[in-house]
Amino acid sequence: MATEYRTETIFTWGAPPLKFGVGALDEIGFDLGQMGLSRVLIVTDETVSAAGIPQRAAQAMQGAGLKPTIFAGVHVEPTDESLREAADFARDTEWDGFVAIGGGSSIDTAKAINLLTTNPGDLMDYVNKPVGGGKAPTEPLKPLVAVPTTAGTGSESTAMCILDVLALRVKTGISHPRLRPVLAVVDPLTTLTVPPHVTAATGLDVLCHALESYTARHYESYARRRPEQRAVYVGSNPVSDAFIEKALPLLSRSFRRAVLTGNDLAARTDMMMAASFAGMGFGNAGVHLPHACAYPIAGRVRGYRPPDYPQAEPMVPHGESVSLTAPAAFRFTFPSDPERHLRAAELLDPGAAGSGDPRERLPRAIVSLMRDIGMPNGIGAVGFTDADVPDLVEGTLKQQRILAMAPRDIMPEDLTAIFYHSFQNW
Ligand SMILES: NC(=O)c1ccc[n+]([C@@H]2O[C@H](COP(=O)([O-])OP(=O)(O)OC[C@H]3O[C@@H](n4cnc5c(N)ncnc54)[C@H](O)[C@@H]3O)[C@@H](O)[C@H]2O)c1
Ligand SMILES: [Fe+2]
């Protein structure tokens, strides 16, 4: 009998249906009509709105007889405050469904709006424990269609919403299968206006999603779970692996070109495909060390202001923050499965196969990419000093859910070493 197994024998994999390709957004009226939606709220931010993308979608919807309204009040890298404000705006009307148009910030905001306008209680009730109450939604959510305009987060296919809890200076999330969009409409044309630094940062998020989920603890290594205990993130598994093995060569081929020549539609299309594939991978397998370290990096930043981002306050964009410790993190995880790390390095940088210290191959491939696309050289370059390390370690240790997905057990002194080795990556 299956219940006799002490370790896990089952993995789950989920993703919404996907409509992918140049011009896909122009068909969104048809797709929403097929779902029987009429009164829809388009959730976006000011910059994406200024690029005319939500208006293009609204026109397609009106052409199909729908009644769209645009809300362009998304905060880039959402906070508990910005999510509550967005939900308050949406509460005034009875919507048939929601359409998120933008990067992860817009898609995550739409997920929170959907949750908070269909379910009782406050945002913090649903935020993952121990920061929030970890409550599951009791009521069904409305259909949410996600249209990513960055080749980045993969939020269009994940069951996750990430936010900054301002009072606690902590980044955390809400994860539940009901948050997952019902359809992802991915149109590479929408990314032609993404500026170079945002292209670089969001692409590094894709890279880390791919590498972290590929090297995450294998699903069979967990203790056997009952169905109601099985989390959204199950560990690396054959289906997620297959997506990542497709994503990495696309990044290898087109990442540099997408940053340096923003109007190269073929490169943008490869990046969108890589982001979608990586989302389908990590959205089920999970991420580990670089993402865990990224949360305190983003939460405790003081003086860094990246180019091409709108806000006045200091910030380290999500994609940058995950990349800063990646070389040191993968050097640390290498012994857990050398073959897998070498395979990832080969897919990312086929030219480097076979040369030098095997443990350095993946860190070297990541560093080469980061240098070429003009990313900051380590946590020192975004304003951290030696004195910040204990604080960064303490913040990372709070991310136990993510750390548990790492393929090696991690002691506080391991994190200290990873942060020290990440001051300068090259
Ligand atoms: N839910 C998930 O599964 C998941 C996964 C990873 C990250 N995230 C979260 O997503 C957020 C980051 O999202 P992101 O990296 O996609 O970027 P973003 O949504 O924060 O956007 C970054 C910047 O690019 C601009 N922009 C977006 N599309 C544009 C376009 N087509 N043309 C011109 N400008 C454009 C935005 O206005 C913004 O200024 C973070 O809050 C992060 O924590 C969520
Ligand atoms: Fe991410």
Side-chain angles (χ1 to χ4, degrees):
M1 254 181 51
T3 46
E4 287 162 13
Y5 290 106
R6 298 184 57 195
T7 52
E8 188 57 282
T9 58
I10 295 170
F11 71 89
T12 56
W13 187 89
L18 169 69
K19 179 172 261 202
F20 185 100
V22 169
L25 182 56
D26 300 317
E27 298 185 6
I28 197 165
F30 170 82
D31 292 310
L32 298 177
Q34 293 290 300
M35 293 178 202
L37 308 184
S38 173
R39 197 178 290 274
V40 296
L41 182 65
I42 297 177
V43 179
T44 189
D45 72 35
E46 269 179 18
T47 312
V48 176
S49 182
I53 303 166
Q55 293 78 356
R56 191 178 134 208
Q59 230 170 20
M61 292 178 203
Q62 281 153 353
L66 278 74
K67 299 191 188 78
T69 300
I70 297 177
F71 167 72
V74 165
H75 185 272
V76 173
E77 311 248 343
T79 66
D80 50 341
E81 216 168 76
S82 79
L83 294 180
R84 283 198 194 91
E85 277 171 23
D88 286 345
F89 172 90
R91 268 196 198 96
D92 290 345
T93 308
E94 182 67 27
W95 306 102
D96 299 334
F98 302 98
V99 179
I101 303 185
S105 297
S106 296
I107 300 173
D108 286 3
T109 300
K111 288 176 182 174
I113 291 177
N114 197 1
L115 173 68
L116 296 176
T117 55
T118 51
N119 277 268
D122 179 60
L123 176 72
M124 289 308 288
D125 298 339
Y126 298 97
V127 166
N128 290 334
K129 284 180 180 167
V131 178
K135 193 176 141 188
T138 49
E139 304 300 320
L141 274 68
K142 300 263 170 79
L144 163 62
V145 174
V147 183
T149 66
T150 59
T153 66
S155 179
E156 71 280 2
S157 66
T158 73
M160 182 86 184
C161 161
I162 297 176
L163 63 138
D164 258 312
V165 181
L166 292 175
L168 304 176
R169 291 200 322 160
V170 62
K171 252 199 177 216
T172 179
I174 305 173
S175 56
H176 191 275
R178 286 192 196 173
L179 292 186
R180 208 188 289 280
V182 296
L183 171 69
V185 176
V186 184
D187 185 341
L189 275 182
T190 64
T191 60
L192 290 177
T193 47
V194 180
H197 198 91
V198 178
T199 305
T202 50
L204 285 174
D205 194 22
V206 179
L207 177 67
C208 287
H209 290 161
L211 296 176
E212 289 173 55
S213 55
Y214 197 60
T215 54
R217 217 176 128 176
H218 197 249
Y219 78 95
E220 288 171 312
S221 72
Y222 289 95
R224 174 88 186 182
R225 291 153 166 159
R226 290 195 303 275
E228 67 277 15
Q229 291 172 324
R230 217 163 270 130
V232 168
Y233 294 138
V234 297
S236 58
N237 62 78
V239 179
S240 292
D241 286 352
F243 280 100
I244 302 308
E245 285 171 5
K246 285 283 181 197
L248 287 170
L250 293 169
L251 290 167
S252 169
R253 180 168 82 187
S254 295
F255 195 172
R256 291 169 177 86
R257 250 186 321 136
V259 175
L260 300 175
T261 327
N263 60 0
D264 183 332
L265 186 57
R268 294 288 197 179
T269 302
D270 277 359
M271 289 302 289
M272 268 313 220
M273 185 81 80
S276 302
F277 284 175
M280 294 180 206
F282 96 89
N284 295 281
V287 284
H288 57 86
L289 260 174
H291 267 72
C293 295
Y295 288 143
I297 291 175
R300 285 148 210 245
V301 59
R302 285 186 303 265
Y304 180 68
R305 286 181 182 77
D308 294 341
Y309 277 80
Q311 42 254 67
E313 68 260 33
M315 71 170 309
V316 185
H318 175 74
E320 268 184 56
S321 64
V322 295
S323 71
L324 292 169
T325 58
F330 291 115
R331 207 172 281 128
F332 172 80
T333 57
F334 180 84
S336 66
D337 192 341
E339 221 172 283
R340 213 163 243 266
H341 286 69
L342 290 174
R343 170 100 179 112
E346 193 187 322
L347 291 169
L348 188 59
D349 190 356
S355 63
D357 177 358
R359 193 172 182 146
E360 288 302 320
R361 258 180 237 159
L362 184 54
R364 230 184 12 241
I366 300 167
V367 162
S368 147
L369 196 47
M370 288 171 73
R371 285 174 78 148
D372 289 353
I373 59 175
M375 282 292 101
N377 182 4
I379 59 172
V382 297
F384 291 101
T385 67
D386 288 3
D388 295 311
V389 170
D391 208 20
L392 291 171
V393 169
E394 188 217 307
T396 307
L397 285 170
K398 287 197 183 132
Q399 303 294 334
Q400 282 302 324
R401 284 163 50 93
I402 305 183
L403 290 175
M405 291 183 280
R408 275 182 75 178
D409 289 342
I410 298 158
M411 301 292 132
E413 53 273 24
D414 299 321
L415 291 175
T416 303
I418 287 172
F419 279 114
Y420 272 116
H421 287 133
S422 302
F423 269 103
Q424 265 202 319
N425 283 322
W426 58 88

